[in-house]
Short mmCIF file of all heavy atoms in Angstrom, two decimals:
data_model
loop_
_atom_site.label_atom_id
_atom_site.label_comp_id
_atom_site.label_asym_id
_atom_site.label_seq_id
_atom_site.Cartn_x
_atom_site.Cartn_y
_atom_site.Cartn_z
N LYS P 403 9.12 1.04 5.46
CA LYS P 403 9.06 -0.34 5.81
C LYS P 403 7.68 -0.86 6.17
O LYS P 403 7.46 -1.48 7.22
CB LYS P 403 10.12 -0.73 6.94
CG LYS P 403 11.49 -0.45 6.51
CD LYS P 403 12.48 -0.88 7.63
CE LYS P 403 13.92 -0.62 7.22
NZ LYS P 403 14.90 -0.96 8.28
N LEU P 404 6.77 -0.61 5.27
CA LEU P 404 5.34 -0.97 5.53
C LEU P 404 5.12 -2.45 5.39
O LEU P 404 5.34 -2.96 4.32
CB LEU P 404 4.47 -0.17 4.57
CG LEU P 404 2.91 -0.45 4.70
CD1 LEU P 404 2.39 -0.13 6.08
CD2 LEU P 404 2.14 0.26 3.61
N ASP P 405 4.63 -3.09 6.43
CA ASP P 405 4.19 -4.51 6.43
C ASP P 405 2.65 -4.47 6.60
O ASP P 405 2.22 -4.09 7.68
CB ASP P 405 4.88 -5.31 7.48
CG ASP P 405 6.24 -5.75 7.15
OD1 ASP P 405 6.41 -6.24 5.96
OD2 ASP P 405 7.18 -5.67 7.95
N LEU P 406 1.92 -4.87 5.62
CA LEU P 406 0.46 -4.81 5.69
C LEU P 406 -0.11 -5.85 4.76
O LEU P 406 0.35 -6.00 3.60
CB LEU P 406 0.03 -3.40 5.31
CG LEU P 406 -1.49 -3.11 5.34
CD1 LEU P 406 -1.96 -3.26 6.77
CD2 LEU P 406 -1.73 -1.68 4.78
N GLU P 407 -1.16 -6.57 5.23
CA GLU P 407 -1.84 -7.55 4.40
C GLU P 407 -3.28 -7.16 4.34
O GLU P 407 -3.91 -6.84 5.33
CB GLU P 407 -1.67 -8.93 4.95
CG GLU P 407 -0.22 -9.48 4.83
CD GLU P 407 -0.14 -10.97 5.00
OE1 GLU P 407 -1.26 -11.61 5.00
OE2 GLU P 407 0.95 -11.51 5.13
N VAL P 408 -3.88 -7.21 3.12
CA VAL P 408 -5.29 -6.92 2.88
C VAL P 408 -5.90 -8.25 2.40
O VAL P 408 -5.49 -8.82 1.43
CB VAL P 408 -5.46 -5.82 1.82
CG1 VAL P 408 -6.96 -5.44 1.71
CG2 VAL P 408 -4.69 -4.61 2.11
N GLY P 409 -6.92 -8.69 3.11
CA GLY P 409 -7.53 -9.98 2.83
C GLY P 409 -8.36 -9.95 1.52
O GLY P 409 -8.73 -8.90 0.99
N ASP P 410 -8.62 -11.15 0.99
CA ASP P 410 -9.46 -11.31 -0.21
C ASP P 410 -10.85 -10.83 0.07
O ASP P 410 -11.56 -11.25 0.99
CB ASP P 410 -9.49 -12.81 -0.50
CG ASP P 410 -10.15 -13.04 -1.92
OD1 ASP P 410 -10.42 -12.08 -2.57
OD2 ASP P 410 -10.35 -14.19 -2.18
N GLY P 411 -11.28 -9.75 -0.72
CA GLY P 411 -12.59 -9.22 -0.53
C GLY P 411 -12.71 -8.20 0.58
O GLY P 411 -13.85 -7.69 0.92
N GLU P 412 -11.64 -7.85 1.22
CA GLU P 412 -11.68 -6.92 2.37
C GLU P 412 -11.72 -5.48 1.91
O GLU P 412 -11.21 -5.11 0.86
CB GLU P 412 -10.36 -7.13 3.26
CG GLU P 412 -10.41 -6.26 4.51
CD GLU P 412 -9.18 -6.52 5.38
OE1 GLU P 412 -8.17 -7.13 4.91
OE2 GLU P 412 -9.17 -6.20 6.56
N PHE P 413 -12.37 -4.63 2.72
CA PHE P 413 -12.42 -3.21 2.59
C PHE P 413 -11.51 -2.64 3.63
O PHE P 413 -11.80 -2.56 4.82
CB PHE P 413 -13.85 -2.66 2.77
CG PHE P 413 -14.05 -1.28 2.26
CD1 PHE P 413 -15.09 -0.94 1.42
CD2 PHE P 413 -13.26 -0.24 2.70
CE1 PHE P 413 -15.35 0.33 1.01
CE2 PHE P 413 -13.46 1.07 2.30
CZ PHE P 413 -14.53 1.41 1.40
N LEU P 414 -10.27 -2.24 3.22
CA LEU P 414 -9.30 -1.69 4.13
C LEU P 414 -9.13 -0.19 3.92
O LEU P 414 -8.97 0.28 2.78
CB LEU P 414 -7.89 -2.29 3.94
CG LEU P 414 -6.88 -1.78 4.91
CD1 LEU P 414 -6.78 -2.60 6.20
CD2 LEU P 414 -5.47 -1.73 4.26
N VAL P 415 -9.22 0.58 5.02
CA VAL P 415 -9.11 2.06 4.93
C VAL P 415 -7.81 2.51 5.51
O VAL P 415 -7.39 2.06 6.63
CB VAL P 415 -10.28 2.72 5.69
CG1 VAL P 415 -10.15 4.22 5.56
CG2 VAL P 415 -11.64 2.29 5.19
N LEU P 416 -7.05 3.31 4.73
CA LEU P 416 -5.79 3.99 5.22
C LEU P 416 -6.14 5.35 5.66
O LEU P 416 -6.73 6.06 4.90
CB LEU P 416 -4.76 4.01 4.07
CG LEU P 416 -4.30 2.67 3.46
CD1 LEU P 416 -3.40 3.00 2.26
CD2 LEU P 416 -3.57 1.84 4.52
N VAL P 417 -5.83 5.62 6.93
CA VAL P 417 -6.23 6.94 7.47
C VAL P 417 -5.10 7.48 8.26
O VAL P 417 -4.20 6.84 8.76
CB VAL P 417 -7.47 6.77 8.39
CG1 VAL P 417 -7.10 6.04 9.67
CG2 VAL P 417 -8.14 8.12 8.73
N GLY P 418 -5.05 8.83 8.35
CA GLY P 418 -4.02 9.54 9.13
C GLY P 418 -4.02 10.98 8.68
O GLY P 418 -4.72 11.41 7.76
N PRO P 419 -3.26 11.80 9.39
CA PRO P 419 -3.19 13.25 9.06
C PRO P 419 -2.46 13.50 7.73
O PRO P 419 -1.92 12.58 7.17
CB PRO P 419 -2.43 13.81 10.21
CG PRO P 419 -1.52 12.70 10.73
CD PRO P 419 -2.36 11.49 10.52
N SER P 420 -2.61 14.76 7.24
CA SER P 420 -1.92 15.05 5.97
C SER P 420 -0.43 14.82 6.11
O SER P 420 0.13 15.13 7.08
CB SER P 420 -2.16 16.56 5.69
OG SER P 420 -3.58 16.78 5.42
N GLY P 421 0.14 14.21 4.99
CA GLY P 421 1.57 13.95 5.00
C GLY P 421 1.95 12.67 5.70
O GLY P 421 3.17 12.39 5.85
N CYS P 422 0.98 11.81 6.12
CA CYS P 422 1.31 10.60 6.84
C CYS P 422 1.82 9.46 5.94
O CYS P 422 2.31 8.46 6.44
CB CYS P 422 0.21 10.18 7.70
SG CYS P 422 -1.18 9.49 6.78
N GLY P 423 1.54 9.55 4.58
CA GLY P 423 2.01 8.54 3.69
C GLY P 423 0.87 7.69 3.14
O GLY P 423 1.12 6.73 2.36
N LYS P 424 -0.37 7.96 3.47
CA LYS P 424 -1.42 7.11 3.04
C LYS P 424 -1.62 7.14 1.52
O LYS P 424 -1.84 6.11 0.90
CB LYS P 424 -2.73 7.45 3.78
CG LYS P 424 -3.21 8.93 3.68
CD LYS P 424 -4.40 9.18 4.62
CE LYS P 424 -4.90 10.66 4.44
NZ LYS P 424 -3.89 11.66 4.89
N SER P 425 -1.62 8.36 0.92
CA SER P 425 -1.82 8.45 -0.53
C SER P 425 -0.59 7.85 -1.26
O SER P 425 -0.78 7.23 -2.31
CB SER P 425 -2.04 9.87 -0.97
OG SER P 425 -3.35 10.32 -0.59
N THR P 426 0.58 8.04 -0.69
CA THR P 426 1.83 7.48 -1.29
C THR P 426 1.71 6.00 -1.34
O THR P 426 2.07 5.31 -2.25
CB THR P 426 3.05 7.95 -0.50
OG1 THR P 426 3.11 9.34 -0.54
CG2 THR P 426 4.29 7.37 -1.11
N THR P 427 1.20 5.38 -0.16
CA THR P 427 1.02 3.92 -0.13
C THR P 427 0.07 3.44 -1.24
O THR P 427 0.36 2.42 -1.88
CB THR P 427 0.42 3.57 1.27
OG1 THR P 427 1.32 3.95 2.28
CG2 THR P 427 0.14 2.08 1.38
N LEU P 428 -1.01 4.14 -1.42
CA LEU P 428 -1.97 3.76 -2.46
C LEU P 428 -1.34 3.82 -3.80
O LEU P 428 -1.51 2.99 -4.67
CB LEU P 428 -3.23 4.62 -2.35
CG LEU P 428 -4.45 4.16 -3.11
CD1 LEU P 428 -5.07 3.02 -2.36
CD2 LEU P 428 -5.51 5.26 -3.33
N ARG P 429 -0.59 4.94 -4.05
CA ARG P 429 0.04 5.16 -5.35
C ARG P 429 1.17 4.11 -5.61
O ARG P 429 1.40 3.76 -6.76
CB ARG P 429 0.55 6.58 -5.49
CG ARG P 429 -0.55 7.61 -5.53
CD ARG P 429 -0.02 9.08 -5.41
NE ARG P 429 0.77 9.38 -6.58
CZ ARG P 429 0.37 9.78 -7.74
NH1 ARG P 429 -0.93 9.90 -7.96
NH2 ARG P 429 1.16 10.05 -8.69
N MET P 430 1.80 3.71 -4.58
CA MET P 430 2.82 2.60 -4.74
C MET P 430 2.08 1.33 -5.15
O MET P 430 2.61 0.64 -6.06
CB MET P 430 3.54 2.34 -3.42
CG MET P 430 4.50 3.44 -3.03
SD MET P 430 4.92 3.35 -1.21
CE MET P 430 5.86 1.81 -1.16
N LEU P 431 0.97 1.03 -4.56
CA LEU P 431 0.20 -0.15 -4.99
C LEU P 431 -0.32 0.00 -6.44
O LEU P 431 -0.38 -0.98 -7.15
CB LEU P 431 -0.99 -0.36 -4.03
CG LEU P 431 -1.91 -1.52 -4.32
CD1 LEU P 431 -1.26 -2.80 -4.48
CD2 LEU P 431 -2.99 -1.56 -3.21
N ALA P 432 -0.67 1.18 -6.81
CA ALA P 432 -1.19 1.47 -8.16
C ALA P 432 -0.09 1.42 -9.24
O ALA P 432 -0.38 1.33 -10.43
CB ALA P 432 -1.92 2.81 -8.21
N GLY P 433 1.19 1.57 -8.77
CA GLY P 433 2.27 1.63 -9.74
C GLY P 433 2.57 3.10 -10.19
O GLY P 433 3.33 3.31 -11.12
N LEU P 434 2.02 4.05 -9.51
CA LEU P 434 2.20 5.48 -9.82
C LEU P 434 3.41 6.10 -9.07
O LEU P 434 3.78 7.24 -9.28
CB LEU P 434 0.93 6.29 -9.51
CG LEU P 434 -0.34 5.81 -10.32
CD1 LEU P 434 -1.61 6.63 -9.84
CD2 LEU P 434 -0.18 5.91 -11.76
N GLU P 435 3.89 5.36 -8.04
CA GLU P 435 5.06 5.78 -7.29
C GLU P 435 6.04 4.61 -7.28
O GLU P 435 5.63 3.46 -7.17
CB GLU P 435 4.69 6.16 -5.86
CG GLU P 435 3.90 7.41 -5.74
CD GLU P 435 4.73 8.72 -5.91
OE1 GLU P 435 5.96 8.61 -6.06
OE2 GLU P 435 4.15 9.76 -5.90
N ASP P 436 7.28 4.91 -7.36
CA ASP P 436 8.33 3.86 -7.23
C ASP P 436 8.37 3.23 -5.79
O ASP P 436 8.08 3.94 -4.83
CB ASP P 436 9.70 4.38 -7.60
CG ASP P 436 9.82 4.79 -9.03
OD1 ASP P 436 9.10 4.17 -9.89
OD2 ASP P 436 10.62 5.64 -9.37
N VAL P 437 8.72 1.98 -5.74
CA VAL P 437 9.01 1.36 -4.45
C VAL P 437 10.57 1.25 -4.34
O VAL P 437 11.20 0.54 -5.08
CB VAL P 437 8.35 -0.05 -4.37
CG1 VAL P 437 8.69 -0.71 -3.05
CG2 VAL P 437 6.88 0.10 -4.60
N ASP P 438 11.12 1.99 -3.39
CA ASP P 438 12.58 2.07 -3.25
C ASP P 438 13.14 0.82 -2.56
O ASP P 438 14.25 0.39 -2.88
CB ASP P 438 12.98 3.30 -2.49
CG ASP P 438 12.63 4.54 -3.30
OD1 ASP P 438 13.19 4.77 -4.38
OD2 ASP P 438 11.77 5.37 -2.82
N ASN P 439 12.42 0.33 -1.58
CA ASN P 439 12.82 -0.87 -0.86
C ASN P 439 11.57 -1.75 -0.59
O ASN P 439 10.46 -1.19 -0.49
CB ASN P 439 13.54 -0.55 0.40
CG ASN P 439 14.82 0.18 0.25
OD1 ASN P 439 15.77 -0.33 -0.36
ND2 ASN P 439 14.92 1.39 0.70
N GLY P 440 11.78 -3.10 -0.44
CA GLY P 440 10.68 -3.94 -0.19
C GLY P 440 9.95 -4.34 -1.35
O GLY P 440 10.39 -4.12 -2.50
N SER P 441 8.74 -4.90 -1.23
CA SER P 441 8.00 -5.44 -2.32
C SER P 441 6.46 -5.42 -2.12
O SER P 441 6.02 -5.25 -0.95
CB SER P 441 8.40 -6.91 -2.59
OG SER P 441 8.30 -7.68 -1.44
N ILE P 442 5.73 -5.51 -3.20
CA ILE P 442 4.26 -5.47 -3.11
C ILE P 442 3.73 -6.66 -3.96
O ILE P 442 4.28 -6.91 -5.08
CB ILE P 442 3.64 -4.16 -3.67
CG1 ILE P 442 4.15 -2.96 -2.80
CG2 ILE P 442 2.10 -4.20 -3.66
CD1 ILE P 442 3.72 -1.60 -3.38
N TYR P 443 2.74 -7.36 -3.42
CA TYR P 443 2.14 -8.51 -4.08
C TYR P 443 0.67 -8.30 -4.22
O TYR P 443 0.03 -7.85 -3.32
CB TYR P 443 2.42 -9.84 -3.33
CG TYR P 443 3.85 -10.21 -3.28
CD1 TYR P 443 4.80 -9.62 -2.32
CD2 TYR P 443 4.38 -11.18 -4.12
CE1 TYR P 443 6.11 -9.95 -2.31
CE2 TYR P 443 5.71 -11.55 -4.07
CZ TYR P 443 6.59 -10.92 -3.18
OH TYR P 443 7.89 -11.29 -3.12
N ILE P 444 0.13 -8.73 -5.35
CA ILE P 444 -1.31 -8.88 -5.53
C ILE P 444 -1.55 -10.39 -5.72
O ILE P 444 -1.03 -10.92 -6.71
CB ILE P 444 -1.83 -8.08 -6.70
CG1 ILE P 444 -1.70 -6.52 -6.40
CG2 ILE P 444 -3.35 -8.39 -6.94
CD1 ILE P 444 -2.19 -5.67 -7.50
N ASP P 445 -2.30 -11.03 -4.81
CA ASP P 445 -2.29 -12.42 -4.70
C ASP P 445 -0.83 -12.87 -4.45
O ASP P 445 -0.16 -12.24 -3.65
CB ASP P 445 -2.91 -13.18 -5.90
CG ASP P 445 -4.42 -13.31 -5.68
OD1 ASP P 445 -4.89 -13.14 -4.60
OD2 ASP P 445 -5.20 -13.57 -6.66
N GLU P 446 -0.37 -13.84 -5.12
CA GLU P 446 1.06 -14.26 -4.95
C GLU P 446 1.97 -13.72 -6.03
O GLU P 446 3.11 -14.08 -6.09
CB GLU P 446 1.14 -15.80 -4.89
CG GLU P 446 0.38 -16.43 -3.70
CD GLU P 446 0.87 -15.90 -2.36
OE1 GLU P 446 2.11 -15.75 -2.15
OE2 GLU P 446 0.05 -15.53 -1.52
#
């Protein structure tokens, strides 16, 4: 249930220990992992 907003032109870093979900989050945004619940938007 990730709620997160990245601003226009922002450099946002996802950090955490191994297995925390940071790479999965990036791959969900890239379309390389399915999103089981919720949604992702680029602009609107």
